[in-house]
Amino acid sequence: MTQSWKSAISRRPVLSGLIAALGLAIAGGIAFEVPKLSRRRYKPSPYDDLLANLPDRENAARIGAAVIAESPAFDANQTARALVNSLADNSLAGVVSADLAQGRMDEVHGWLLPQTLTQLCALAAKAS
Amino acid sequence: MKAFLDARSIPAGTVLDTDLAIIGGGPAGIALALALANTPIRVLLLESGGEAFEPQTQALYAGSETGTPYLKLENSRLRYLGGSSNHWGGWCRPLDAIDFEQRSWLPHSGWPFSRTELEPYFSRAQSMCEAGPFIYDDPAKWTQSFGASIPLGEGGVYTTYMQFSKTRDSYLPTHFGERYGGDLKRVPNLSVMLHANVTGLRLATNARSLDHLDVATLQGGRFTVRPKYTVLAVGGIENARLLLASNDVVQAGVGNGHDLVGRFFADHPIPGDTATMVLFNGAISNYYQQPQPAFGAYFRAALTPHDAFKNRHAVLCSLATIEGEVQLDGLGQSAVAATASTLGIDAANMRAFTVGCGMELAPDPERRLTLSDERDALGMPRLNLDMRISDSDFARYRDTLKELGRQLLAARTGMIRINHKSRESWLSVMDWGNHHMGTTRMHNDPRQGVVDANSQVHGVSNLYVAGSSVFPTYGASNPTLNLIALTLRLADRLKMVFRS
Ligand SMILES: Cc1cc2nc3c(=O)[nH]c(=O)nc-3n(C[C@H](O)[C@H](O)[C@H](O)COP(=O)(O)OP(=O)(O)OC[C@H]3O[C@@H](n4cnc5c(N)ncnc54)[C@H](O)[C@@H]3O)c2cc1C
């Protein structure tokens, strides 16, 4: 009895420690996974690496749909290859700044947008 | 102070002699008459209307319009003392230096002198317009006191400042007849005759000088004025009409030996809602949207291309104004969200505005006034205006908007949507400035201009033209301040002519 009481006493912190550790692990896991879970899932596309540059892919895809409607001959693969090159060593912000400095702009339903952004938008639409 | 004369009381057949006849009592005629005050020159100013609107007199302005839809000729001006200043908007801005330059990419461009020639006259013209101190080119003055201008990346478009005519103690623009009527009555060497319609400029038989003027009243009176010199100042449309209709000695009309009178008509197209401008942080100084009182003037900002940009990209001048706030549609919201997030900008407070504009037209000889077969109540042939606007005029303005959009993005300030592409779309939002220019253009070469650099009609020694009809290239600035400056220059010329 004393023994069992003793052992009960001695086992209690171990158990609660284990439960706490498990709880922490689950909570940590959830905290780690939540953004992934809540982030919209897109069906895989060949342009996912490029599209990861877009902070707002839904709105970009809406613009992209307009781009494709205005230029039905839009060649997604060729555009993607060019973008992979230009974004290889530069951030999107840097490439967009260069577009603006050099006057590389596109008009989408009248909206004037930096060319690289327009192209990414069109890929986002293709991918969606 | 002496009263105005009334042509209706002049007996038929009278011949009046004077040193100088000024035909027309609008801003140009009034500015000239006052500039010649207290000189030994006896001046007679002949004005078609009275001191207020009269429908029968106004009807003399009716004509017909063909081609690109335009304003009705009788609605686009007013025919009584003060002329169209009786309903002008009071917007003032001097022409840009490039407006005077001959540009290889712009056929028929250039004045016979540079802007520096007009500079000595601007501040006097400004004070006649009652538009406050002449501080257009001093942006720091406005921005320090009234808030920052819209940040734009380096490039071709910048914020410029317009000033407004305002009658003393009012925000309403100066009506020249009302405002200067008393002054005109006080000038000892000036007589102003109302209800005096000049119906003919009669050349001497050798056609080298003007012999006399035919004057008629709507009551049937007819008499003659025999001036030593005459200045035609009846407005940008009517100047051409009087020259063309005076075709008894030279069949083509006075000053029209090279078929130029009435050609090159121009106005400023004022298309509405040309673009939508988004400002990511929603902040805008009031002076972009509404005239603001400051330094005894009213001023408002507009966006305009630099002269260097115009030359580099072959674009004409334009003055884009920011008007009311608008809501964006779904695509617009997506464009802003996608762009702002890519640029790393918080656009939660963004606001969107519609953009208006005053545009410059390229000179076009086929945009033209001609006499029609119709006649007015005085027997004068009426005019037909064949209006035209070319696709390249729209394309050039679009190029400026594109540059503005680029600069807004480069500065992380905002972005724009250009709202019109097709000709039909542009024409559907078209209005006009009522700024009639170009029909008696100035050029040193008589084959290319109706008047010379002194505003004298080529080949007619004693006939001059005042007003915006002499502008060979137009800029986008409103014309009145500039035409008054040019008229003050003409006054100096006439003083010299009379002295010699
Ligand atoms: C609605 C409107 C808004 C405008 N807004 C602006 C603006 O904001 N800024 C700006 O700079 N400009 C503006 N303008 C243009 C401005 O009004 C003209 O530039 C200016 O009035 C031209 O002056 P003027 O003396 O050359 O001609 P006018 O003002 O046309 O005066 C001509 C005079 O000649 C008289 N006349 C005509 N025919 C005869 C004849 N046969 N015999 C004798 N007399 C005759 C007329 O009665 C009139 O008094 C506007 C015009 C209109 C219509």
Side-chain angles (χ1 to χ4, degrees):
Chain A
M1 170 97 179
T2 311
Q3 185 65 23
S4 64
W5 180 80
K6 262 190 179 172
S7 65
I9 294 287
S10 63
R11 272 202 305 268
R12 206 172 280 152
V14 175
L15 262 176
S16 54
L18 273 172
I19 290 165
L22 190 68
L24 269 177
I26 292 169
I30 288 172
F32 185 71
E33 284 299 323
V34 157
K36 273 196 189 168
L37 291 172
S38 67
R39 195 183 291 160
R40 236 192 96 178
R41 297 214 154 263
Y42 300 97
K43 66 176 192 225
S45 85
Y47 321 120
D48 286 350
D49 286 349
L50 283 170
L51 297 180
N53 286 292
L54 281 173
D56 184 345
R57 193 162 150 182
E58 278 78 39
N59 280 310
R62 255 174 244 140
I63 300 298
V67 175
I68 294 168
E70 280 182 357
S71 0
F74 172 73
D75 183 336
N77 290 332
Q78 193 187 327
T79 304
R81 275 196 299 277
L83 285 175
V84 166
N85 284 339
S86 59
L87 288 165
D89 302 318
N90 300 296
S91 65
L92 177 58
V95 176
V96 161
S97 292
D99 279 352
L100 294 173
Q102 282 157 45
R104 290 190 298 261
M105 310 273 293
D106 284 327
E107 208 177 314
V108 184
H109 273 246
W111 286 103
L112 286 169
L113 302 172
Q115 195 177 70
T116 302
L117 175 59
T118 321
Q119 292 171 338
L120 282 171
C121 289
L123 292 182
K126 279 276 179 200
S128 66
Chain B
M1 191 136 106
K2 53 183 189 264
F4 292 146
L5 305 173
D6 192 325
R8 293 172 298 189
S9 62
I10 305 287
T14 301
V15 177
L16 299 171
D17 286 314
T18 186
D19 290 336
L20 177 73
I22 300 173
I23 312 175
I30 289 174
L32 183 61
L34 292 177
L36 295 175
N38 303 313
T39 62
I41 309 167
R42 286 175 308 137
V43 181
L44 174 61
L45 188 155
L46 299 160
E47 164 55 42
S48 161
E51 287 182 80
F53 181 84
E54 292 160 15
Q56 296 94 322
T57 306
Q58 184 64 23
L60 298 169
Y61 266 165
S64 51
E65 307 82 26
T66 51
T68 301
Y70 187 68
L71 309 164
K72 293 221 124 324
L73 294 189
E74 72 268 35
N75 296 344
S76 186
R77 50 215 175 122
L78 281 174
R79 190 159 170 153
Y80 64 97
L81 188 67
S84 293
S85 74
N86 290 302
H87 64 164
W88 75 319
W91 295 68
C92 296
R93 183 175 183 268
L95 288 163
D96 294 318
I98 197 176
D99 298 330
F100 295 81
E101 289 168 16
Q102 191 179 347
R103 283 153 275 174
S104 56
W105 50 269
L106 186 64
H108 310 291
S109 58
W111 292 51
F113 48 75
S114 71
R115 193 184 114 139
T116 49
E117 184 72 25
L118 282 193
E119 263 151 24
Y121 300 98
F122 276 136
S123 69
R124 271 166 67 207
Q126 174 87 353
S127 86
M128 282 217 77
C129 292
E130 302 185 286
F134 191 86
I135 41 181
Y136 300 85
D137 298 332
D138 192 358
K141 231 184 167 105
W142 308 117
T143 53
Q144 271 161 21
S145 315
F146 301 95
S149 56
I150 296 172
L152 294 175
E154 207 177 304
V157 176
Y158 71 102
T159 294
T160 186
Y161 298 88
M162 324 267 308
Q163 292 182 221
F164 287 79
S165 164
K166 69 167 196 76
T167 306
R168 217 164 292 156
D169 301 327
S170 163
Y171 64 91
L172 290 172
T174 304
H175 294 182
F176 279 64
E178 243 171 86
R179 170 69 181 85
Y180 295 110
D183 295 341
L184 293 172
K185 286 176 182 164
R186 273 188 285 272
V187 175
N189 57 317
L190 169 69
S191 303
V192 175
M193 189 182 286
L194 302 180
H195 299 110
N197 297 284
V198 174
T199 53
L201 311 168
R202 302 300 167 212
L203 292 176
T205 43
N206 67 5
R208 298 232 178 90
S209 63
L210 194 69
D211 184 69
H212 67 271
L213 310 173
D214 291 341
V215 186
T217 67
L218 280 166
Q219 288 63 35
R222 304 239 163 205
F223 61 93
T224 299
V225 173
R226 206 178 285 281
K228 291 190 183 120
Y229 287 84
T230 297
V231 176
L232 184 57
V234 288
I237 293 175
E238 216 62 8
N239 280 346
R241 181 181 180 195
L242 256 179
L243 291 169
L244 289 170
S246 302
N247 52 7
D248 52 331
V249 175
V250 179
Q251 212 183 355
V254 174
N256 197 27
H258 296 278
D259 188 22
L260 288 168
V261 175
R263 289 188 184 271
F264 295 98
F265 175 83
D267 193 348
H268 293 126
I270 307 193
D273 193 29
T274 64
T276 303
M277 179 189 285
V278 169
L279 296 176
F280 291 137
N281 66 4
I284 184 167
S285 295
N286 289 339
Y287 56 69
Y288 278 98
Q289 287 185 282
Q290 295 291 338
Q292 302 295 318
F295 312 117
Y298 275 81
F299 78 106
R300 183 174 174 180
L303 295 155
T304 193
H306 280 291
D307 283 359
F309 178 80
K310 292 178 206 162
N311 254 336
R312 202 170 322 120
H313 297 274
V315 301
L316 295 171
C317 194
S318 53
L319 292 161
T321 51
I322 301 173
E323 310 283 342
E325 203 165 337
V326 291
Q327 298 300 317
L328 296 182
D329 62 9
L331 190 74
Q333 287 171 14
S334 290
V336 173
T339 308
S341 61
T342 300
L343 296 174
I345 291 164
D346 174 9
N349 296 322
M350 75 91 184
R351 287 160 77 202
F353 304 90
T354 173
V355 177
C357 179
M359 284 167 57
E360 178 178 13
L361 291 178
D364 178 354
E366 300 308 322
R367 201 167 46 231
R368 165 173 204 201
L369 293 164
T370 49
L371 297 180
S372 76
D373 296 334
E374 303 276 306
R375 293 197 174 249
D376 69 14
L378 297 171
M380 290 266 297
R382 292 194 186 276
L383 286 171
N384 179 69
L385 168 63
D386 194 16
M387 193 56 185
R388 288 159 54 118
I389 180 164
S390 79
D391 292 347
S392 61
D393 291 321
F394 295 127
R396 285 175 159 143
Y397 174 52
R398 281 186 122 264
D399 286 346
T400 299
L401 284 177
K402 281 185 192 163
E403 174 68 353
L404 172 60
R406 189 191 68 76
Q407 288 174 255
L408 283 166
L409 284 168
R412 304 314 198 234
T413 305
M415 57 195 293
I416 67 166
R417 175 182 195 270
I418 305 181
N419 291 341
H420 306 284
K421 200 165 195 173
S422 70
R423 181 180 182 79
E424 291 67 38
S425 181
W426 282 108
L427 291 179
S428 72
V429 291
M430 189 57 74
D431 196 1
W432 298 91
N434 299 277
H435 306 152
H436 314 130
M437 300 172 282
T439 55
T440 64
R441 66 201 319 263
M442 182 183 272
H443 203 285
N444 278 329
D445 178 354
R447 285 162 307 177
Q448 296 187 62
V450 176
V451 300
D452 67 14
N454 292 317
S455 299
Q456 186 206 310
V457 174
H458 280 294
V460 185
S461 59
N462 57 353
L463 177 61
Y464 293 80
V465 180
S468 47
S469 64
V470 306
F471 292 10
T473 337
Y474 326 108
S477 296
N478 305 62
T480 309
L481 172 76
N482 297 288
L483 74 85
I484 292 176
L486 194 59
T487 303
L488 296 175
R489 177 176 172 273
L490 172 59
D492 279 357
R493 172 78 195 163
L494 288 167
K495 284 182 199 164
M496 253 175 56
V497 167
F498 275 95
R499 265 202 300 272
S500 62

